Amino acid sequence: MTKIDTSRPETVLPTPSHTVGPFYGHALPFPGGGDIAPVGHPDTIALQGYVYDGEGNPLPDAFVELWGADPDGNVPTVDGSMRRDPASGGFLGRNGVEFTGWGRVQTDANGHWSARTLRPGARGRSAPYISVCVFARGLLVHLYTRIYLPGDDAALAADPLLSQVDEARRNTLVATDDGKGTYRFDIRLQGEGETVFLEFQ
């Protein structure tokens, strides 16, 4: 049994808070997580951006999950996002052939993320979009949002979800065309320019 001398003041260190991260960074990354499009596919686009906290600082340990339809608007149902080595159990990465529509990337030391995928086709009355799930330190629950791609103003104006978002905040859901098939989408968790997040019930 340990006895504590209460006559001497001691320094008590605070216990860590219980949050989503950044502890998950040790198990969730895998090789090729952002290589969603098969290598050499002609419809490949690049998505990239930063994840910022409420003070505008980039987060170096956030995760961004992406999933979307194929160019025909169909949701892929094939396996192949992650493969394991049968001998070692380690990740081999993607098979590089099938389009699964899903990927997971971690932000780098500067809070930057990037992925290669296929430009999604429209589904129903919705404009083409890519679904996003964000995991970051301080979040007790992950956040959902969407990346709409620019280029079809009529489709964006008619989109059922975008039409419900305040016009001043709609641009937080639409990527910026950087040219040559590259789109930028920054995610701001709080504060000025906060990304519109969705709640599913």
Side-chain angles (χ1 to χ4, degrees):
M1 183 163 97
T2 303
K3 293 186 178 182
I4 298 176
D5 182 357
T6 57
S7 65
R8 292 178 27 196
E10 296 192 25
T11 302
V12 178
L13 300 175
T15 58
S17 62
H18 293 91
T19 64
V20 173
F23 312 111
Y24 50 74
H26 298 290
L28 294 180
F30 66 97
D35 297 326
I36 305 167
V39 175
H41 195 289
D43 296 325
T44 298
I45 61 170
L47 295 171
Q48 57 94 19
Y50 291 84
V51 178
Y52 296 104
D53 66 14
E55 295 179 345
N57 299 315
L59 290 176
D61 50 15
F63 271 88
V64 178
E65 285 190 356
L66 308 163
W67 65 101
D70 66 18
D72 295 323
N74 300 314
V75 176
T77 58
V78 297
D79 295 330
S81 291
M82 293 185 283
R83 295 180 306 144
R84 290 188 180 272
D85 184 322
S88 69
F91 288 116
L92 293 173
R94 297 176 182 275
N95 66 15
V97 178
E98 282 85 15
F99 175 70
T100 64
W102 181 85
R104 179 192 296 138
V105 292
Q106 184 172 10
T107 56
D108 64 16
N110 298 316
H112 184 261
W113 65 272
S114 64
R116 291 174 38 265
T117 189
L118 300 182
R119 186 179 182 97
R123 299 183 66 228
R125 297 186 304 125
S126 296
Y129 68 87
I130 295 168
S131 295
V132 180
C133 184
V134 182
F135 300 82
R137 68 171 88 169
L139 295 179
L140 297 177
V141 178
H142 43 277
L143 301 173
Y144 294 99
T145 189
R146 287 182 176 179
I147 301 174
Y148 287 92
L149 299 176
D152 188 341
D153 292 340
L156 292 173
D159 183 86
L161 186 137
L162 277 178
S163 63
Q164 295 180 52
V165 176
D166 180 29
E167 191 172 346
R169 299 196 61 211
R170 244 176 252 165
N171 66 335
T172 69
L173 295 174
V174 182
T176 303
D177 188 345
D178 285 347
K180 298 182 180 176
T182 301
Y183 298 89
R184 178 166 177 171
F185 187 79
D186 293 335
I187 299 167
R188 298 181 186 276
L189 301 181
Q190 286 181 318
E192 188 175 346
E194 177 184 331
T195 300
V196 171
F197 295 105
L198 311 174
E199 182 176 305
F200 295 97
Q201 298 181 357

